[in-house]
Amino acid sequence: MRIHWRQTLMSYTFLAPALLLLAVFTFYPLLYGAYLGFTEYTGARFAQGLGPKWVGLDNFRTLADDPLFHTALWNSVRYLLVVPVLQLASLAVAVLVNRELPGMTWFRAAYYVPVVTSVSLAAVMFEWIFNREGVLNWMLITLHLSTPQQATGYLNSRTWAFFAVMLVTFWRGFGYYMVLYLAGLQTIPRELDEAAVLDGASPWQRFWRVTVPLMRPTILLCTLLSTIAALRVLEEVLVLTNGGPLNSTYTALMYVYAKAFQGFDFNYGLASAAGLVVAVVALVISAANFRLIRGDTEGA
Amino acid sequence: MSAATTPQAPARSAARLRWRRPLAVTGRYLLLSAILIFAVFPFLWTLAIALTDKTAGTSIYAFPQSLLPHQVTLHNFVDVYRTFHLGAYLWNSVSITAMTVLGTLVVSALAAYPLARFRFPGRQLIFGAIVATLVLPSETNFIVNTLTLKSLHLLGTHLGVVVPTVAGAFGIFLMRQAFLAVPAALLEAARLDGAGELTILTRIMLPLTRPSLAALGIFTLVSTWNAYFWPMIVLSGAPDRIPLSVAVLKLKGQFNYDPFNIAAGSLFMMLPVLLVFLFTQRLFLRGMDGAVK
């Protein structure tokens, strides 16, 4: 390829702002963050103007011995429970709105509204809903599924807070995945579904035998996206429960954030090490997921 | 319907389909409405609380009355705006969002142009690096970026919130796709007329790709307006510079006893985004479409 110097110079001039910003705020923090994981870099050192000090695997040993980190990792893994529920529900909703019936655009738009809601706003609204005297308990009592004596504030309950946070994740997520599934559904040839109708397939059979197999690539993509998102959950926890009650909603990234910025003993080294562990877990799960996609399509 | 037009379908099932169809449609709408309530209930209740006259001695937890306000008033909005200096936070949100949208559009368009239109050494590498940012583990980036901002003296400023976020793969991709669709003949003609590349970009490419620019702008606007974590970190030492998305939780702390004010404040924050979304939902949903394919 002949090099056009003028074009090359021009290209790099135009690319310069993006490349500079990406280098400083994406690639450098990646490398430096990984390095910090192997150093001692605490509030005390920082205050004295001292830089990070290499300590090898010390931080990882600390993590291995820290029951809070175990809880955090376990909660992050447990949080993956939301993934299958979220994916199946959004696929089902996408199938429901994928019909040219009157008003369908409005339903689609309304389902997307939670997606464009700030997490802090969701926190404000759901705290009222989950309150001991909130609307959720009122509904359960009205439907005779619960009694006033059994009523609990869901965000203050060790048993329920975890699921309450998940429900908010679900609420904010299902519209997003619905749109992705809708895009996938619209590439399915109509004739296939019609042929299934002619063969006497029930809607249920059509969903499982026609839609789901044909949507497999989209389903796997969405599952991957939401798995990573669930492993990295932080904001919902931060604004709804701050990890409590009694660490029952404390997740791995919450640990990273808390070690880095909360309290008096902030510890960038330890936080970075914890971040590395989460990153490795996320990478392993993504890789496994990709393998699954591969294996699946080869088998098909 | 299709069963009736097809000879091999038995007449019996056609008859059954005829009465089952309206039933199925009704069922579908019932289900859709139930999901609709799940999706929008929190907003409606917040709206109801915000509009309720708190001086009438009502509780937001008095069901079912509190789900529909009896004594409607706009006083809560005025109250929270005045006592909480909401105007300042509103302005912070506008400032951060405007800078981010502008920055993202400029940086993305500039970077996308050569990536779409020129061959130069290193192009594949650069493109690969930008793609890679989508999957790279970013768990600890916020720690290092905070340190970087501190040494740049940008910690606690709006610029500090904005600068690290404006260069992103999404914007560059979107603009690159748009630029690829512009006919090469137009560019050739402009070059023959002696136009420089910056002129071509601003006079030909950008006007022709206005829908993509608008989509990117709206996406960035909504996500920046709603962003919580990053502005919270950068501005943790500058409480009067925080945007509404962060302030709304402070509001909750300060007015714990006054949910009416909190609800009114929340609506102040929600309304702009909601309006933008409702007016541009087509663009939005199409933009998502494009992102997957």
Side-chain angles (χ1 to χ4, degrees):
Chain A
M1 170 176 134
R2 235 190 91 225
I3 298 175
H4 301 273
W5 286 109
R6 252 175 55 87
Q7 236 178 49
T8 305
L9 188 70
M10 195 279 308
S11 298
Y12 277 96
T13 315
F14 280 19
L15 277 163
L19 291 183
L20 183 74
L21 288 169
L22 283 172
V24 175
F25 293 109
T26 303
F27 292 105
Y28 163 71
L30 215 65
L31 297 172
Y32 191 59
Y35 162 74
L36 282 185
F38 298 91
T39 67
E40 187 194 316
Y41 199 19
T42 55
R45 286 188 74 84
F46 193 78
Q48 290 165 41
L50 294 170
K53 186 179 100 192
W54 183 267
V55 291
L57 294 174
D58 274 10
N59 289 325
F60 297 94
R61 279 187 211 110
T62 310
L63 290 176
D65 291 337
D66 187 350
L68 182 58
F69 186 63
H70 299 172
T71 309
L73 259 190
W74 171 235
N75 279 336
S76 282
V77 172
R78 227 159 43 113
Y79 212 82
L80 296 178
L81 277 175
V82 78
V83 174
V85 185
L86 183 55
Q87 295 311 313
L88 265 181
S90 26
L91 178 55
V93 174
V95 171
L96 274 177
V97 294
N98 186 31
R99 272 290 156 84
E100 295 315 317
L101 291 172
M104 230 26 111
T105 3
W106 285 104
F107 280 107
R108 283 177 210 164
Y111 297 167
Y112 201 79
V113 168
V115 183
V116 293
T117 305
S118 151
V119 70
S120 46
L121 219 54
V124 168
M125 302 189 298
F126 274 90
E127 236 169 63
W128 291 327
I129 292 174
F130 288 140
N131 191 288
R132 196 170 174 278
E133 288 150 38
V135 78
L136 182 57
N137 276 326
W138 175 74
M139 267 172 51
L140 290 175
I141 293 166
T142 312
L143 295 170
H144 295 287
L145 293 171
S146 173
T147 62
Q149 289 77 40
Q150 288 174 320
T152 151
Y154 293 93
L155 291 173
N156 304 320
S157 146
R158 243 190 116 177
T159 334
W160 293 110
F162 191 75
F163 298 100
V165 177
M166 266 187 188
L167 184 74
V168 177
T169 300
F170 179 87
W171 180 77
R172 291 185 72 221
F174 85 94
Y176 177 79
Y177 295 107
M178 177 204 73
V179 172
L180 295 188
Y181 283 128
L182 207 54
L185 282 175
Q186 282 166 4
T187 62
I188 294 184
R190 256 216 126 79
E191 301 80 59
L192 273 174
D193 206 46
E194 279 164 9
V197 175
L198 287 184
D199 289 344
S202 70
W204 194 245
Q205 283 172 321
R206 264 156 46 214
F207 180 73
W208 287 109
R209 302 276 171 81
V210 181
T211 311
V212 170
L214 283 170
M215 291 286 286
R216 186 181 276 162
T218 318
I219 293 173
L220 288 167
L221 173 75
C222 289
T223 307
L224 186 67
L225 288 177
S226 85
T227 304
I228 304 291
L231 273 179
R232 290 178 170 168
V233 68
L234 167 64
E235 285 191 320
E236 282 100 318
V237 179
L238 205 61
V239 296
L240 283 160
T241 60
N242 201 15
L246 294 168
N247 299 331
S248 62
T249 58
Y250 207 94
T251 62
L253 273 199
M254 179 87 211
Y255 185 93
V256 177
Y257 165 72
K259 287 294 164 195
F261 292 118
Q262 273 183 341
F264 300 104
D265 61 334
F266 68 87
N267 190 335
Y268 293 142
L270 190 62
S272 301
L276 273 177
V277 174
V278 183
V280 168
V281 173
L283 279 178
V284 167
I285 289 185
S286 310
N289 235 319
F290 269 117
R291 258 231 131 101
L292 248 128
I293 299 175
R294 273 257 179 89
D296 258 33
T297 39
E298 271 164 17
Chain B
M1 189 174 72
S2 39
T5 54
T6 322
Q8 59 263 56
R12 185 174 54 88
S13 98
R16 222 173 57 196
L17 278 174
R18 206 164 295 137
W19 67 262
R20 272 180 60 172
R21 211 181 132 70
L23 209 68
V25 171
T26 315
R28 185 184 285 258
Y29 273 109
L30 278 177
L31 201 56
L32 287 171
S33 308
I35 304 167
L36 181 80
I37 291 171
F38 172 70
V40 300
F41 173 77
F43 302 102
L44 296 180
W45 192 26
T46 309
L47 182 66
I49 295 172
L51 291 175
T52 303
D53 187 355
K54 63 184 159 197
T55 55
T58 42
S59 156
I60 66 163
Y61 296 126
F63 301 110
Q65 303 92 293
S66 74
L67 299 177
L68 275 177
H70 289 277
Q71 289 120 330
V72 174
T73 173
L74 290 176
H75 179 254
N76 298 330
F77 293 95
V78 182
D79 195 27
V80 74
Y81 194 90
R82 283 215 194 109
T83 53
F84 197 60
H85 310 293
L86 214 57
Y89 298 121
L90 207 60
W91 168 246
N92 292 339
S93 283
V94 171
S95 150
I96 291 171
T97 307
M99 282 201 282
T100 307
V101 170
L102 196 71
T104 306
L105 290 180
V106 170
V107 170
S108 306
L110 274 177
Y113 183 44
L115 287 175
R117 287 305 190 165
F118 295 113
R119 298 179 61 99
F120 54 92
R123 191 179 72 145
Q124 293 300 329
L125 184 75
I126 291 171
F127 198 62
I130 294 173
V131 177
T133 62
L134 292 172
V135 289
L136 286 172
S138 54
E139 271 74 8
T140 58
N141 285 10
F142 68 91
I143 299 175
V144 179
N145 281 343
T146 315
L147 293 169
T148 307
L149 288 181
K150 197 178 174 95
S151 52
L152 292 174
H153 301 289
L154 286 176
L155 208 61
T157 69
H158 289 173
L159 207 59
V161 180
V162 171
V163 170
T165 63
V166 293
F170 178 72
I172 297 174
F173 275 157
L174 199 80
M175 289 321 296
R176 180 177 169 269
Q177 287 310 110
F179 289 157
L180 281 173
V182 175
L186 271 176
L187 284 109
E188 291 309 320
R191 279 194 198 111
L192 285 179
D193 286 345
E197 294 303 336
L198 197 63
T199 317
I200 294 178
L201 177 62
T202 52
R203 294 282 174 78
I204 299 176
M205 297 302 250
L206 293 184
L208 283 174
T209 53
R210 213 176 288 148
S212 300
L213 281 169
L216 177 58
I218 292 161
F219 258 87
T220 314
L221 185 152
V222 171
S223 62
T224 312
W225 186 272
N226 285 336
Y228 172 75
F229 185 67
W230 179 238
M232 187 265 293
I233 299 244
V234 175
L235 300 171
S236 62
D240 45 346
R241 291 196 198 138
I242 57 173
L244 268 178
S245 53
V246 180
V248 84
L249 286 185
K250 254 184 70 175
L251 187 71
K252 202 182 73 187
Q254 190 172 330
F255 286 112
N256 224 350
Y257 56 91
D258 192 348
F260 304 95
N261 273 8
I262 301 171
S266 303
L267 283 177
F268 266 114
M269 169 176 183
M270 188 159 49
L271 221 57
V273 158
L274 212 57
L275 289 178
V276 166
F277 172 69
L278 288 179
F279 281 114
T280 59
Q281 39 146 325
R282 271 170 197 285
L283 255 176
F284 237 86
L285 303 182
R286 221 189 307 139
M288 295 282 297
D289 242 37
V292 202
K293 279 171 195 161

